Amino acid sequence: MKASTRQRRIIELLLEQKHEITAADIASIVGASTRTIHRELSDMEPLLAANGILLHKIAGLGIRVEASDDALERFKQSFDRSDSLEYSAEERKILIFCSLLEHDEPVKLFSLAHELRVTMPTISHDLDELEESIVKQGLTLVRRRGYGVEIVGPEEAKRHAVSLLAINHLDDTDLFGQFADLAVSNPITAQLLDMIGKDNFKKLEQALWELSDDWSNTLSESDYTRLLIKLSVALTRIGHGCVIPADRTSKSEVIPLLQGLLDILNIRLPIQEQAYFSHLLDQEAFPESSLLIHHDDMPTIEGVKLLILRVEAQLQMSLTHDRSLEEGLIQHIKPAFQRIKDGIAIRNPMLAPIKKDYSALFSIVRSAVQEIYQKIKVPDEEIGYIVMHFGASLERLKPFPRKVRAVLVCTSGIGSSKLLAVKIAKELPQIELIGHYSWFEARRLPPSRYDLIISTVDLPLEPDRYIKLSPMLTTEETNKLRSYIEGTTLKKISSAAAAETDASGHSPMDRLLLLQLYSGIVLRLLDGFRVHDLTLEQGQAHLEQQLPAMLSLIGETSIDTHLTKISEQLIARERQGSLVIPDTELALLHTRSEWIEAPLLALYRFDTPLQLSEDGAVQASQALMMLGPLKLDTYSLELLSEISAMLLLPELLTVLEHGNAASIKLFISKKLEHYIKTKLDWRES
């Protein structure tokens, strides 16, 4: 049975459907254009007809297969036993790239042609098209007659290339699902899973799960997956003898996270590999860990606020008070747009149903994104993810008796619970997921902390206390979960308990405790706030020269003792990119340091511009300094970030420029009071 890999995917999709599916939906799922799908369907019709199967096309509904049960069963058995005899040009190039990265010696063109079942000129043409992307990744494609073809370059670049292929062509179901089942139907999936190392990936996931208390909250889901892939690729290639050459300058310093990882895995690495892994973990697991606010957070926040305003104007309903929407978009857009700039493909298997279910919202969001982010071409796949954030916000705006606090239980580490958490957040945003736990941990949680346990495995509990779901959360399971909550969980909550807990999920005691916590941080921060007017001497107007004096004015003993070191940290931060608020002369200077004991805020005004760059091109007449301890609690960091977001408000900029310390404190305290009330969903009686 001759069929290309794409045709096999289309056939499998049609056989799985109980109802009609449109060509556009098929195109989105298999990654092709609608025109290509129509062409493939025409080519496939004779093959299907020869097996007693008809393609039934219904205008306005879609396509489905028609055949007797016996004919379908015979075809499925024959189809499952058959091989895919053809690869698309894109599939061939991926497999060629993988093959060359796997071999540390030349590969003959004849061997590649035989393996992929095409002619040698076809392979040569594929290599021509591959060469540019290979060079971009710091590698060289060597091709010589009689010698063969190979990829040469640094081991670090080869690892990066393998990781990028995996990031672009594997999704969470491939990575966290059952490898054996997933690899059978797709040769590219099988090849990439082998190259990243199936066993290593699972071991690393479990090891990082055990170490997660120390660092995992700093990573997004996509960042966590990317880190796992890079670590697994490195371990797998080391196992195959592909190691980074020894370098006399390599340092043997091992960061604590790596040491913990090596201890759990019970492995030892050469010095140069320790340096590589330490850099990888430091870069991926602790990005910008010394900073309070990343230097390009401000444009991200500004863009998200504009996007929400554009969309709510079109929808004619207010979204600006939905803090979850704003925070979610800020966390999502920044890394997502960076991946687009880096050329990493965006995959969105939900695109077709998103376009179908949110057609009007999709058009509104796409138009707003194109208007605000004109310098980047955002594909529909990414628009789909942004639409999901707005769709979730619209769901949150619908009346619901109360939030349902749920605990996720999974015995296989963070992978399957991660998948399920993402699905629940998209399908049922009314559920507040308070954490991922093993059953051992979950059974020790006080019952008052949660309303429901959602598990991927059977638990020794009564049926009314938990629900078992698969990590994929199918449509049927989504409906099952919704019905379970409405019919069991919410009914189980007594009227007395319901009266004590408002729609925010906070009891009066919870709200008061959080209010005390937030207000204590704000009062300590604003109580220490001062405005300092500085006169800059001629020839002493550079930031490096003024920082020690600026820090000494704060009057903290721990800072005075380490003026030089904290100054160096602030300078290092500034060199990453000056943070002068757009269209102002206000600079934001900030860092986190082991020598700072508590969050601090200070404003400096200069009689002549302060030089922030060596050439004097970047200047500021004012500087707002934010300092925080290296280990800063979530609540303090949240409030400092909120103050930084206020710098987009023209009213605050005016007060900072002309007001005294009291008026500045008043403005910030009013804004933070409103923020805390919104955060706690505090309603005046």
Side-chain angles (χ1 to χ4, degrees):
M1 185 179 296
K2 294 184 177 181
S4 70
T5 304
R6 181 190 289 140
Q7 288 173 344
R8 289 178 64 85
R9 291 180 192 166
I10 295 171
I11 291 172
E12 288 169 352
L13 192 59
L14 289 171
L15 293 177
E16 290 171 0
Q17 299 300 312
K18 295 180 181 178
H19 306 287
E20 290 80 5
I21 182 171
T22 66
D25 288 350
I26 296 174
S28 176
I29 293 169
V30 304
S33 67
T34 305
R35 180 180 298 178
T36 298
I37 296 303
H38 282 300
R39 187 181 67 247
E40 295 283 24
L41 288 170
S42 297
D43 292 341
M44 287 158 43
E45 276 194 272
L47 168 66
L48 295 172
N51 288 273
I53 299 174
L54 297 178
L55 278 181
H56 192 51
K57 303 172 184 176
I58 305 174
L61 287 178
I63 307 149
R64 62 182 171 87
V65 294
E66 284 189 350
S68 66
D69 292 342
D70 290 342
L72 277 175
E73 188 58 34
R74 285 195 302 271
F75 178 77
K76 286 180 180 178
Q77 292 178 2
S78 173
F79 186 70
D80 290 341
R81 291 194 300 269
S82 66
D83 293 326
S84 174
L85 299 181
E86 295 180 29
Y87 297 107
S88 69
E90 189 60 31
E91 289 170 334
R92 280 199 316 273
K93 285 184 282 188
I94 294 170
L95 290 170
I96 290 170
F97 201 176
C98 288
S99 180
L100 295 178
L101 286 168
E102 273 198 308
H103 292 86
D104 267 348
E105 57 186 17
V107 179
K108 298 292 185 182
L109 286 184
F110 172 77
S111 175
L112 290 171
H114 177 73
E115 182 180 343
L116 298 174
R117 300 166 186 172
V118 292
T119 63
M120 288 172 60
T122 298
I123 296 295
S124 293
H125 182 264
D126 290 338
L127 288 169
D128 290 339
E129 296 191 344
L130 266 175
E131 189 161 11
E132 183 180 353
S133 63
I134 290 172
V135 170
K136 281 183 179 178
Q137 296 184 51
L139 299 166
T140 303
L141 183 65
V142 177
R143 304 163 68 179
R144 290 200 295 270
R145 186 180 297 276
Y147 175 79
V149 57
E150 69 174 328
I151 289 176
V152 297
E155 172 60 20
E156 297 95 321
K158 290 184 179 181
R159 293 179 186 182
H160 177 74
V162 175
S163 300
L164 196 59
L165 283 168
I167 292 167
N168 277 340
H169 299 286
L170 297 177
D171 57 30
D172 285 348
T173 56
D174 300 325
L175 293 165
F176 297 104
Q178 296 298 316
F179 293 109
D181 296 339
L182 291 164
V184 171
S185 61
N186 191 324
I188 292 175
T189 300
Q191 178 76 21
L192 289 173
L193 287 174
D194 185 61
M195 291 177 75
I196 68 172
K198 299 183 287 289
D199 292 337
N200 284 331
F201 189 91
K202 294 164 77 174
K203 289 175 183 176
L204 282 162
E205 183 207 356
Q206 186 60 42
L208 289 179
W209 170 260
E210 293 181 30
L211 296 167
S212 63
D213 285 346
D214 297 329
W215 61 273
S216 63
N217 289 335
T218 65
L219 287 182
S220 67
E221 305 288 0
S222 58
D223 290 338
Y224 172 79
T225 302
R226 187 170 64 246
L227 172 62
L228 267 178
I229 288 172
K230 290 185 176 182
L231 291 171
S232 188
V233 167
L235 275 185
T236 301
R237 288 187 65 83
I238 290 172
H240 293 159
C242 303
V243 297
I244 296 171
D247 184 351
R248 293 179 182 177
T249 62
S250 294
K251 298 180 181 179
S252 58
E253 183 179 349
V254 179
I255 64 173
L257 179 56
L258 175 58
Q259 189 59 62
L261 195 60
L262 296 178
D263 290 343
I264 292 174
L265 296 174
N266 193 26
I267 60 175
R268 299 182 66 182
L269 294 175
I271 291 177
Q272 67 274 16
E273 291 291 359
Q274 291 180 16
Y276 175 81
F277 274 74
S278 291
H279 175 73
L280 189 61
L281 285 166
D282 194 48
Q283 182 184 52
E284 295 287 339
F286 302 106
E288 310 291 353
S289 59
S290 64
L291 305 184
L292 289 171
I293 307 119
H294 189 270
H295 66 272
D296 58 1
D297 272 353
M298 299 303 292
T300 303
I301 295 169
E302 187 175 16
V304 165
K305 287 181 179 292
L306 286 173
L307 178 61
I308 293 173
L309 288 172
R310 293 282 195 283
V311 172
E312 73 173 10
Q314 290 295 314
L315 292 175
Q316 296 185 338
M317 60 187 301
S318 177
L319 301 173
T320 50
H321 296 300
D322 186 352
R323 298 291 308 183
S324 296
L325 172 62
E326 183 178 322
E327 291 169 3
L329 285 172
I330 289 170
Q331 292 174 9
H332 174 84
I333 281 179
K334 183 177 163 185
F337 282 16
Q338 186 58 52
R339 286 194 291 274
I340 294 172
K341 292 175 183 177
D342 292 342
I344 299 176
I346 303 292
R347 303 178 69 194
N348 189 345
M350 300 283 290
L351 182 60
I354 290 171
K355 283 185 171 180
K356 184 176 181 180
D357 297 340
Y358 295 98
S359 57
L361 182 60
F362 191 94
S363 298
I364 290 171
V365 171
R366 179 164 56 185
S367 175
V369 169
Q370 289 172 347
E371 181 181 350
I372 295 167
Y373 302 99
Q374 297 180 7
K375 294 182 180 180
I376 181 172
K377 186 176 181 181
V378 182
D380 278 1
E381 288 77 9
E382 177 54 35
I383 298 293
Y385 284 119
I386 297 174
V387 167
M388 292 168 96
H389 283 275
F390 281 100
S393 179
L394 295 176
E395 287 293 324
R396 282 191 291 271
L397 292 174
K398 292 180 180 178
F400 198 73
R402 53 160 286 169
K403 283 185 179 178
V404 175
R405 300 165 299 167
V407 171
L408 285 187
V409 172
C410 178
T411 59
S412 60
I414 203 170
S416 55
S417 60
K418 168 180 178 291
L419 268 178
L420 186 52
V422 171
K423 294 275 187 180
I424 290 173
K426 292 173 182 174
E427 299 295 332
L428 293 169
Q430 303 95 327
I431 297 177
E432 180 183 3
L433 299 173
I434 66 172
H436 304 187
Y437 299 95
S438 66
W439 170 235
F440 178 80
E441 296 166 321
R443 65 183 178 180
R444 283 164 174 74
L445 288 175
S448 60
R449 288 273 307 279
Y450 61 88
D451 303 312
L452 169 68
I453 294 177
I454 300 173
S455 176
T456 58
V457 293
D458 290 313
L459 298 178
L461 291 174
E462 295 298 320
D464 64 344
R465 290 190 58 194
Y466 87 104
I467 183 172
K468 179 186 174 184
L469 303 171
S470 74
M472 295 310 301
L473 192 67
T474 62
T475 303
E476 291 78 7
E477 287 180 317
T478 301
N479 294 331
K480 175 184 172 184
L481 176 56
R482 184 182 288 108
S483 298
Y484 183 90
I485 290 171
E486 292 174 351
T488 303
T489 305
L490 292 176
K491 285 184 179 180
K492 227 174 58 171
I493 301 171
S494 67
S495 57
E500 290 180 3
T501 306
D502 64 15
S504 71
H506 297 299
S507 70
M509 182 62 73
D510 290 336
R511 286 203 312 273
L512 288 171
L513 288 171
L514 284 171
L515 179 62
Q516 181 185 39
L517 182 63
Y518 278 119
S519 58
I521 296 169
V522 173
L523 290 172
R524 285 192 297 272
L525 186 65
L526 294 182
D527 185 56
F529 174 76
R530 298 289 185 274
V531 177
H532 304 285
D533 295 308
L534 297 181
T535 301
L536 303 183
E537 301 293 337
Q538 188 173 4
Q540 298 292 312
H542 281 84
L543 179 64
E544 294 91 333
Q545 298 164 324
Q546 291 297 320
L547 268 177
M550 292 166 65
L551 289 167
S552 65
L553 289 173
I554 293 175
E556 292 287 335
T557 304
S558 60
I559 294 178
D560 291 340
T561 307
H562 302 95
L563 283 178
T564 302
K565 292 177 179 178
I566 299 174
S567 296
E568 289 173 353
Q569 290 177 330
L570 284 165
I571 294 299
R573 158 64 191 87
E574 185 63 27
R575 285 173 181 165
Q576 294 181 24
S578 177
L579 191 56
V580 176
I581 307 304
D583 302 320
T584 74
E585 294 183 355
L586 173 68
L588 178 61
L589 307 175
H590 60 91
T591 191
R592 289 161 65 180
S593 172
E594 60 189 288
W595 299 293
I596 297 171
E597 295 178 351
L600 297 166
L601 194 64
L603 178 67
Y604 301 89
R605 293 170 176 160
F606 311 103
D607 63 334
T608 58
L610 180 71
Q611 310 295 316
L612 298 177
S613 60
E614 293 183 6
D615 59 3
V618 182
Q619 301 179 345
S621 60
Q622 299 180 89
L624 183 65
M625 185 179 290
M626 279 187 183
L627 302 177
L630 189 60
K631 291 186 177 180
L632 187 61
D633 65 274
T634 304
Y635 303 102
S636 297
L637 185 58
E638 183 182 334
L639 291 171
L640 287 172
S641 297
E642 184 64 19
I643 292 173
S644 70
M646 290 182 203
L647 296 176
L648 296 172
L649 301 174
E651 310 97 283
L652 178 58
L653 295 174
T654 301
V655 175
L656 289 174
E657 185 175 1
H658 303 291
N660 56 24
S663 62
I664 295 172
K665 287 182 184 181
L666 179 62
F667 184 93
I668 294 176
S669 61
K670 282 185 176 180
K671 291 295 180 182
L672 289 180
E673 179 189 31
H674 176 74
Y675 169 77
I676 293 168
K677 283 186 175 181
T678 304
K679 180 81 175 180
L680 300 180
D681 197 18
W682 195 290
R683 292 182 174 88
E684 302 294 343
S685 57

